[in-house]
Amino acid sequence: MRALNAAVGFEVAGTVVNRRFEAATDRYSPYRKMPAALWRESPVAGLEPGRRLATIASLLHVSSGGPGDEAGRSFAAALIEQSGLAPEAWLRRYLDAYLVPLLHAFYAYDLAFMPHGENVILVLDGGAVERVIFKDIAEEIVVMDPDADLPPEVRRIRAEVPEDHRLPSIFSDVFDCFLRFLNAVLATDGVLDEDVFWRTVAECATAYQRSVPHLADRFRRHDLFAETFALSCLNRLQLRNNRQMVDLTDPSATLQMAGELVDPIARFAPVRLEGGGATPGRT
């Protein structure tokens, strides 16, 4: 498999622990987080010459207008134009850097975390995405196999998650909560057609699966190209309990599901060939 274009931003120091609050409260108490602070290493020191940083949340920014800034123009479209790449090629570079590491974490290690817009930093070369840096994953992380062989100091991140509640870490957190919005931004800007967008996502996922054939059983068990997927409502978690969205010792128990969504890449599912290879489907 090719090397992943991703890194993790390490946390240098964390929460100040008050032993009196610890002794007087249960593990859900907000008092255990008073006072609290977090220091992370800066990604700036590791930048190559000419590179710059942006969160993936910035890709959803659309200008409201201003001096030299066209109203309604998206930051993502401006990056694509600056890169000199065709929109489809730009998107594929971004997906190779962002989506592939998330797929590999899930399929190879049963590992999931929260890769939302503010937690992923893009390293840009010109306007093109060169690699990504994931941050803030220490708390929002789970290995969805209670029997995983982990060092004692990190076994707290193991949890028993039902099989049908595992893939929503990709479907909900990535497809529903971010990529569909990026798709809308680029389609509204007239930069990239909706079908081309999702076909490119499917091609990226298919290329990843072909690069790790030893995980074929895992791909069949957790089908990324299923016709539909369960809708996990993340906002409902916050509305239900604004002090703790998820119980990390039993994350699946707190999920709020509501119906199903159509899998946008299902129609581009790989077509199996006689020789055992695969090529993305076409509508």
Side-chain angles (χ1 to χ4, degrees), residues 79-113:
L79 287 179
I80 292 172
E81 182 178 338
Q82 183 184 29
S83 74
L85 298 171
E88 189 174 353
W90 183 94
L91 177 63
R92 180 59 186 270
R93 285 200 189 185
Y94 160 68
L95 293 169
D96 284 343
Y98 168 62
L99 179 60
V100 170
L102 299 178
L103 294 178
H104 194 60
F106 175 80
Y107 283 109
Y109 304 106
D110 278 312
L111 176 65
F113 48 92

Side-chain angles (χ1 to χ4, degrees), residues 2-214:
R2 63 185 180 280
L4 300 178
N5 297 325
V8 173
F10 292 102
E11 296 176 359
V12 179
T15 303
V16 178
V17 176
N18 187 306
R19 299 300 179 188
R20 292 183 179 180
F21 286 148
E22 291 279 325
T25 60
D26 64 28
R27 63 191 178 93
Y28 299 108
S29 173
Y31 287 102
R32 291 194 174 193
K33 300 178 181 179
M34 298 172 57
L38 188 62
W39 288 266
R40 297 190 182 96
E41 65 177 354
S42 171
V44 174
L47 284 182
E48 296 83 359
R51 305 317 193 260
R52 56 183 173 147
L53 302 172
T55 65
I56 66 166
S58 67
L59 298 182
L60 305 184
H61 172 72
V62 177
S63 174
S64 58
D69 198 0
E70 180 185 347
R73 182 69 167 168
S74 71
F75 180 56
L79 287 179
I80 292 172
E81 182 178 338
Q82 183 184 29
S83 74
L85 298 171
E88 189 174 353
W90 183 94
L91 177 63
R92 180 59 186 270
R93 285 200 189 185
Y94 160 68
L95 293 169
D96 284 343
Y98 168 62
L99 179 60
V100 170
L102 299 178
L103 294 178
H104 194 60
F106 175 80
Y107 283 109
Y109 304 106
D110 278 312
L111 176 65
F113 48 92
M114 290 289 185
H116 57 69
E118 185 268 334
N119 274 356
V120 184
I121 300 172
L122 305 172
V123 178
L124 300 169
D125 180 7
V129 178
E130 184 176 73
R131 57 190 176 91
V132 303
I133 302 170
F134 294 103
K135 69 179 183 70
D136 196 20
I137 67 173
E139 287 190 51
E140 300 170 331
I141 190 171
V142 60
V143 173
M144 297 175 284
D145 178 0
D147 301 317
D149 184 16
L150 299 177
E153 58 268 26
V154 295
R155 285 178 186 164
R156 67 176 181 83
I157 70 173
R158 295 185 307 190
E160 187 167 0
V161 178
E163 289 279 323
D164 60 345
H165 281 181
R166 296 185 182 186
L167 197 51
S169 66
I170 299 295
F171 280 144
S172 293
D173 298 355
V174 180
F175 284 19
D176 183 37
C177 291
F178 191 79
L179 290 184
R180 75 179 173 103
F181 294 105
L182 180 59
N183 172 34
V185 165
L186 295 178
T188 301
D189 247 356
V191 172
L192 197 62
D193 178 78
E194 182 177 348
D195 283 349
V196 176
F197 182 98
W198 290 114
R199 188 184 70 214
T200 305
V201 175
E203 289 173 346
C204 176
T206 299
Y208 162 68
Q209 291 186 354
R210 294 185 66 181
S211 72
V212 283
H214 62 286

